[in-house]
Structures are given as C-alpha cells and as structure tokens.
Amino acid sequence: MKLSAKAVAIVLLFVGLVLVNYLASTLPVRVDATADSIYSLSPGTKAVLGKIEEPITIELFYSKDATGIPITYKNYAARVQEMLRQYVRASKGKLTLSIVNPRPDTPDEERATAVGLTPQVSQQGGDQFFFGLVVTQADQQKTVPAFTPAREPFLEYDLSKLIYSVQQLDKPKLGLLTSLPLQGSSPQDMQMMMMMRQQPRPSQYVIEEWKESFEIVPIEATANELPANLDVLAVIHPQNVSPKLQYAIDQFLLAGKPVILAVDPASQYFKRQGGQQAMFGGPQPNVSSDLPALLNAWGIQYDPQKIVGDLENATEVRTGQATTARYPVWLTLRKTNFSARSPLTAQLNSAMFIESGFLAPKAGSSLTFTPLVETSARSGDVAAMALQFAQPEDVAKQITASGKKTIAALVQGKFTTAFPAGVPKDEPAATKKDAKTDAAQPAGLKESKTASTLFVIADTDWLFDDYSVRKFNLFGQTAAQPFNDNLAFGANVVEFLGGSQDLISIRGKGTSIRPFDVVREMEIEAQKKYQEQLTALDARLQEVQTKLSELQGRRTEGNRLVATPEMTKAIEEFQKQSAEMRGQRREIRRALREDIDALENRLLTLNLAAPIVLIGLVGVWFYRSRRR
C-alpha cells in the first residue's frame, strides 16, 4: 500500500471512530449493567413523566470553571447531568434541559442567587460554586438549592418529586385524627385556660412543618366517616375511635391511599395529665393506644402492654440534683439504627423515642414489612406497669437482651379488610329508618385495589417539642432549635406518603462510587493472618522502648547520663532490638498488602494489554480477509 493510501486509511479510521461514538450517543438504547440499576429510570419515574401535561423547563446550574471543586462533586455533576438527560429522553418532549455555567459577576450568577440556589465552597478552599437545579412550569417554580454527593442514592426520587410537585397548584389534604393536643389548645380549652389565667398551649412544631406542605383537616374520634378528598391520613394515638370510623380508615387504606399510624403503650402527655389529676383525686387517664382489629387484619404484631428497652442506646436522665443515670426505655437512637435504604430515614442522624413499643410482622403475612427504625441487639422488653415506681437502675436490671426491636416500619402490599362483614352495625338500630340506612351501605373493599402503603410507629412522644427542639427567646420572639432529627423524620414521613403513589414506588438506589469489595475482603483476610504477629511484635517493641526510656532517664543533676559499662551495653542492645523489630513490623505491614499489590499489578497489566491484543486480533483478521 502506498503512503498516501495509508494516510487516507488512517484518516478514514479516525472519522469512523468519531461517527461510531456519535451514533452510539444518539441511539435511544442503553444497557445498565450496574448492580442496583442506578442508570435506569424506575417505573414510578416513567409514570410521573408520562402524566406531564404542560411543558416543564429544567435548568441545572453548575459552576464547572470554578477552582477547588472536590472530585466527588465533579463526578456527581456528571452523574446528575446524565440522569437529567435520561429524564428528557423519557419525557417525549415534555421536558427541556438547559445547563448553565454561572461564572462570577455575570447575569447567570445573579439569576442563580435570585432563584434561591445556595453557593458552596470546598473545605479545602477554592472558588465559590453553584450546583443546584431549578424546575419551572408556567408560574410554578421549585428548586434544589444545592446538590451534595451524600444524597446520590435518592437522586432519582428527589428529581421525580420536584417534577411532580411543580405541577401541583393546591396543597394536598392531610386528615389528622388524634387524641393528643398536637395542634395546641382547642378554642374551648383556650377559653377555660384564660379564665384560669393560664397560657394556652401552642401548636407543636411538627404540625407547623406539616402545614408547610399540606392542608390539615382535623377529624374527631366520634365521627362515623372521614372527610372527603383526603390525600393522606394520619392517625396519632387513637383512643375511643368509633367502629364506623375504624371501618372508614380501613377502606381508606384499601383504596390505595397512604395511612400514617402512631400508637403508643405509654404516652408521656397522658402520664403527666394523670399526675395532675391525681393531686385533685381525679381518675387516671388511659395512657396507651391501640387499634387491635386493624393491626391484626393488616398483619402487624403490637402489644400495648410492652415497652422496649435498649441497654446500648439508653438516654442519660437526671435522677437527683447532681446525679444522672442511663434510662434504657428513653431511647436516643443514632444513624446506625435507621434504614439507609429508605428516603424517610437515610439522612437522619439521631432521634429520641420515649417508652415506645415495638412492632413485628405477623407469621404468614404476605405484606412487605420494611423496618425503618430499629434498636440495637442489646434490647429487650419490659412491662409498662413495671415502670410506674421503678428507678432507672432497676429498669435496666429487668431487661434481658433478645435482639433488635422494630419501632417504625413501612408496610406495603395488598391488605385485607378488618371488616369482612362490611360496615359495623349500630347496636341496636334505634329506628327502622336507621336500619334501612345500614342496609343501604354499599359493599366495602375486601382487599386493596392496588398496592397500599402504611407507615406505622409504636411511639407518639417523639412528635412533641419537649423531645425534639430547644426553645429560646430571640428578639422577643420564641425561637426553636432542633436538638435531634425528630422534626425532620416527621416531615419526611408525610411528604413521602403524601406525594404521588408513583413517587412512593421509587426506592433509594446505590451510588456510582463502588467500593472495591474484593480488595476489602483481601485486606480483612490479610489482617486476620498477620494481626496476631503484629500485636505480639508491638507489645515487645513497647516493652523494649519502655526499658530504654528508663535507662536513658537516669540522669544526674548535671543532666549527664551516669551509666556503667553493663548499662551502656544494655542500652545498645535495646536500641538494636528496637531497630530490628521496627524492620520486622514494616515487613509484616508490607505483607498485608502483598496480595492486594499483586492484584493491582494484574489488573494494570490486563488494562494495558487488552487494547493492544484486541487491536492485534482485528489486524490479523483484516490481513487474512484481504489475502483471500
């Protein structure tokens, strides 16, 4: 082949490679080989995108030219852009994506600030940079003020939620059925308290959080039916709920609407009420709550007479003027106690639960029971009655560790009704007219029409300000600072359940940053193999160094070392031993990584050789084809 022909062939080969890359990037076909399918859209997301009626504009603000951006953020920015392009492709023209690089002192930077994006700065220094998102439909606008790689497992959920919420013109309705004063004093109570010169009780902060996203519709326990058009129902510490209202709750869940159910074996609010009433000789209130018919039918075990105690996560409480003790039924749970796979709990770091119960799936239940909050393995149960007069130290002695206990769980699937006979009858029907009314009730659902979702938790005290925020006076106004994540947990639950059913089906995924599992296992095995030798050598080295220090520390007033020839010889011997043992320790540490280094070398060789071998094989095939 002539030289000119070779040059033309090389140019054509280069052009061919460019065309192949271009065509591959434009083809709508993708293969996601990751373990958690992190590069594929969930069916829930596709359903959300399929319901878009009006065009939506997405603007990603990323300061790619800023200096000092951590490599994790750069990789995450590429991940976000790729995910957004998948959204655009799946939306069939309903989404428009624009990527903005807001350089300093430009209109783009002013716009990023105006829409509420939060500038970030690396801990290692560098330029201020923007990395946020704005989603706009008509005059509705929602933002992600700042992306962080820690949120990567929920990237798809966050994006889908933003696209869904920007289309909502009205707040969804949250029905609230509770025996607790979460919304503050009622008008009747306020009037009575003002007559007694007492301050009305304010609404709890968790209610204020819920009001940000929902219209709250109160429900009385004596009602016979639920208000119309509720989007989500919260049943908090239910007491004296009428059978017909329980039936309505059951049918609400079976119809596919989400329900939040919080029961409690020992409400601290009612315990305090009992203490005050005892001073005046009044009756003791019922401190526990339960809905046995519903929980039993929904496949959940719960005992209102049992309280969970955790010896590892006990809260320190005051037992006297200057004494404290660990109280194992007041739980201060940490990140390891929350599910890392659920968007409800993955970002929580701490939460407090007071004398809570525990939950478990019933044997034979076909529903999916996902624990969200669990105690440690050093947990057991204690009878609620046993806590009345027991001291914290005595409570700890009563607990026998029997493994983890579930405090909160998400139950999903097709539920069966707790009322197979239909609407509970009034006993007896007062008149013929009432009897006719009962007979005219339509047949209820026997099973969920579609997959239903129930969030259930065996505690209610965590919703009160006393266990979630620290209040203080700020310029004459009462301000509050959360001291744990109870408020965030409450907000997550209603926002997650109150959103679209399509959003609920989107679970957290893995991250694009994959750990080297093989390397980690090799390190663990090597550590086991050499750790005993290393520990023994470190102990001997420490002993030698201690003796050496003792000999060198014997100085006179003139700060001169007075040593006999024997001592000098001993010091030299110890120094020699010390040097030898340090060398041995380096050898052991090197041996720890020997297999890992060999694996790295093999992978490096394979990476370098593979393209060469592949090209060589193609060349041989091409040569033989030409010869024929």
Side-chain angles (χ1 to χ4, degrees):
M1 184 181 289
K2 294 181 179 179
L3 183 61
S4 59
K6 291 180 180 177
V8 171
I10 292 173
V11 171
L12 289 175
L13 179 63
F14 177 75
V15 173
L17 288 173
V18 172
L19 285 175
V20 167
N21 275 288
Y22 173 76
L23 291 173
S25 63
T26 55
L27 287 174
V29 180
R30 296 287 187 278
V31 177
D32 186 356
T34 56
D36 295 323
S37 300
I38 60 174
Y39 295 106
S40 301
L41 297 182
S42 302
T45 293
K46 293 177 181 175
V48 170
L49 297 177
K51 296 174 183 175
I52 298 175
E53 296 181 355
E54 299 294 331
I56 294 176
T57 301
I58 300 176
E59 294 174 279
L60 175 66
F61 287 79
Y62 175 56
S63 309
K64 66 177 183 180
D65 297 333
T67 60
I69 299 178
I71 189 66
T72 53
Y73 277 76
K74 291 181 178 178
N75 292 336
Y76 191 47
R79 169 97 169 89
V80 172
Q81 291 179 46
E82 175 56 30
M83 178 66 85
L84 289 173
R85 290 191 180 101
Q86 287 190 60
Y87 273 72
V88 173
R89 284 193 290 267
S91 71
K92 299 179 180 177
K94 294 294 185 182
L95 293 183
T96 304
L97 171 65
S98 62
I99 298 174
V100 183
N101 180 11
R103 295 185 176 87
D105 303 323
T106 62
D108 289 336
E109 185 187 52
E110 293 176 4
R111 173 162 164 69
T113 304
V115 296
L117 302 190
T118 305
Q120 305 181 67
V121 179
S122 169
Q123 292 182 349
Q124 287 74 34
D127 295 339
Q128 173 179 282
F129 66 94
F130 286 94
F131 184 19
L133 189 74
V134 183
V135 178
T136 307
Q137 185 186 57
D139 58 348
Q140 295 278 325
Q141 195 170 75
K142 300 286 181 180
T143 62
V144 175
F147 282 110
T148 60
R151 191 74 187 168
E152 184 181 356
F154 308 104
L155 174 61
E156 184 183 359
Y157 174 78
D158 290 341
L159 294 176
S160 298
K161 179 185 171 187
L162 211 63
I163 292 170
Y164 171 78
S165 61
V166 79
Q167 302 173 75
Q168 305 303 307
L169 300 178
D170 300 318
K171 287 184 179 179
K173 291 183 178 180
L174 169 65
L176 180 60
L177 167 62
T178 181
S179 60
L180 299 171
L182 296 177
Q183 296 192 84
S185 302
S186 64
Q188 296 82 1
D189 290 343
M190 289 178 65
Q191 191 174 6
M192 186 178 297
M193 295 177 80
M194 291 177 68
M195 291 173 61
M196 297 173 67
R197 297 184 179 180
Q198 295 179 354
Q199 289 292 327
R201 188 180 299 107
S203 172
Q204 302 299 300
Y205 273 89
V206 69
I207 296 296
E208 300 304 318
E209 287 282 330
W210 290 356
K211 285 180 178 176
E212 292 287 330
S213 306
F214 292 86
E215 177 188 346
I216 295 182
V217 183
I219 304 168
E220 295 295 330
T222 54
N224 287 330
E225 58 185 18
L226 295 172
N229 301 322
L230 293 181
D231 295 286
V232 60
L233 174 64
V235 182
I236 313 294
H237 204 64
Q239 290 185 328
N240 305 317
V241 179
S242 71
K244 285 192 173 180
L245 189 56
Q246 291 189 42
Y247 173 78
I249 296 169
D250 176 80
Q251 294 296 298
F252 186 84
L253 180 66
L254 266 58
K257 296 290 187 67
V259 173
I260 300 166
L261 175 59
V263 289
D264 198 338
S267 162
Q268 297 302 296
Y269 169 76
F270 282 111
K271 288 181 91 171
R272 284 198 295 267
Q273 292 290 311
Q276 294 175 5
Q277 292 180 17
M279 294 173 63
F280 300 99
Q284 291 297 298
N286 179 17
V287 301
S288 68
S289 57
D290 191 7
L291 286 175
L294 295 180
L295 287 174
N296 188 54
W298 295 345
I300 300 167
Q301 288 184 359
Y302 162 71
D303 187 344
Q305 303 302 320
K306 295 285 183 64
I307 289 174
V308 64
D310 189 341
L311 299 173
E312 187 172 314
N313 293 303
T315 300
E316 197 161 321
V317 297
R318 285 185 180 274
T319 56
Q321 289 187 346
T323 58
T324 60
R326 288 167 57 79
Y327 198 34
V329 292
W330 282 36
L331 309 179
T332 299
L333 301 185
R334 297 166 180 81
K335 195 172 185 64
T336 54
N337 301 109
F338 307 120
S339 169
R341 300 279 297 173
S342 172
L344 280 78
T345 51
Q347 302 297 313
L348 303 183
N349 292 309
S350 67
M352 177 177 277
F353 300 96
I354 309 298
E355 298 182 11
S356 65
F358 52 96
L359 309 159
K362 280 183 62 178
S365 173
S366 60
L367 299 168
T368 303
F369 183 94
T370 306
L372 298 177
V373 180
E374 291 182 308
T375 60
S376 75
R378 297 182 62 202
S379 300
D381 59 77
V382 59
M385 292 292 292
L387 298 179
Q388 286 190 332
F389 307 106
Q391 296 298 315
E393 298 84 358
D394 300 329
V395 174
K397 293 175 184 174
Q398 297 179 41
I399 295 172
T400 302
S402 56
K404 293 182 178 180
K405 308 288 184 189
T406 299
I407 293 178
L410 200 65
V411 187
Q412 294 174 296
K414 290 200 170 186
F415 290 72
T416 54
T417 181
F419 300 90
V423 184
K425 301 288 190 299
D426 292 330
E427 293 185 4
T431 64
K432 292 182 179 179
K433 182 180 178 182
D434 293 337
K436 288 180 181 176
T437 303
D438 288 342
Q441 291 289 340
L445 298 171
K446 305 298 182 188
E447 188 184 57
S448 296
K449 291 194 294 186
T450 58
S452 302
T453 303
L454 168 71
F455 170 82
V456 58
I457 185 168
D459 187 51
T460 58
D461 300 306
W462 65 283
L463 294 165
F464 279 86
D465 294 350
D466 293 348
Y467 310 107
S468 59
V469 298
R470 186 178 296 109
K471 295 181 181 178
F472 56 95
N473 185 289
L474 181 66
F475 304 119
Q477 301 291 325
T478 300
Q481 181 180 18
F483 58 78
N484 57 32
D485 291 329
N486 284 16
L487 271 182
F489 187 31
N492 288 351
V493 169
V494 293
E495 286 189 7
F496 180 76
L497 295 185
S500 163
Q501 291 298 300
D502 300 322
L503 292 177
I504 293 176
S505 68
I506 302 173
R507 291 177 174 271
K509 293 185 174 180
T511 70
S512 56
I513 304 171
R514 306 296 300 172
F516 293 99
D517 291 338
V518 174
V519 171
R520 185 171 57 83
E521 289 171 5
M522 292 174 71
E523 286 177 337
I524 292 172
E525 287 301 317
Q527 194 75 26
K528 287 180 184 175
K529 184 177 178 182
Y530 296 107
Q531 187 60 49
E532 189 175 345
Q533 297 178 33
L534 195 61
T535 303
L537 190 61
D538 282 342
R540 285 176 51 204
L541 183 60
Q542 181 66 34
E543 183 182 353
V544 168
Q545 287 180 334
T546 303
K547 289 180 179 177
L548 191 58
S549 299
E550 288 176 358
L551 289 174
Q552 291 177 333
R554 294 175 185 174
R555 297 174 184 277
T556 63
E557 292 180 356
N559 206 30
R560 294 174 55 207
L561 175 65
V562 179
T564 62
E566 291 77 11
M567 289 175 62
T568 303
K569 187 177 180 182
I571 289 173
E572 290 175 353
E573 182 64 26
F574 284 143
Q575 287 175 334
K576 184 179 177 183
Q577 289 182 21
S578 178
E580 288 177 352
M581 283 187 279
R582 289 179 187 280
Q584 292 176 23
R585 190 167 63 175
R586 281 195 299 273
E587 286 298 315
I588 291 176
R589 293 190 181 281
R590 186 189 61 77
L592 280 171
R593 291 197 54 84
E594 196 171 40
D595 293 339
I596 298 171
D597 291 341
L599 175 64
E600 289 179 351
N601 291 333
R602 288 200 298 273
L603 291 175
L604 181 63
T605 304
L606 183 64
N607 281 332
L608 292 175
I612 299 173
V613 172
L614 186 62
I615 293 173
L617 291 174
V618 173
V620 170
W621 171 81
F622 182 74
Y623 174 75
R624 289 186 174 180
S625 300
R626 292 290 304 273
R627 295 275 296 176
R628 291 172 188 167

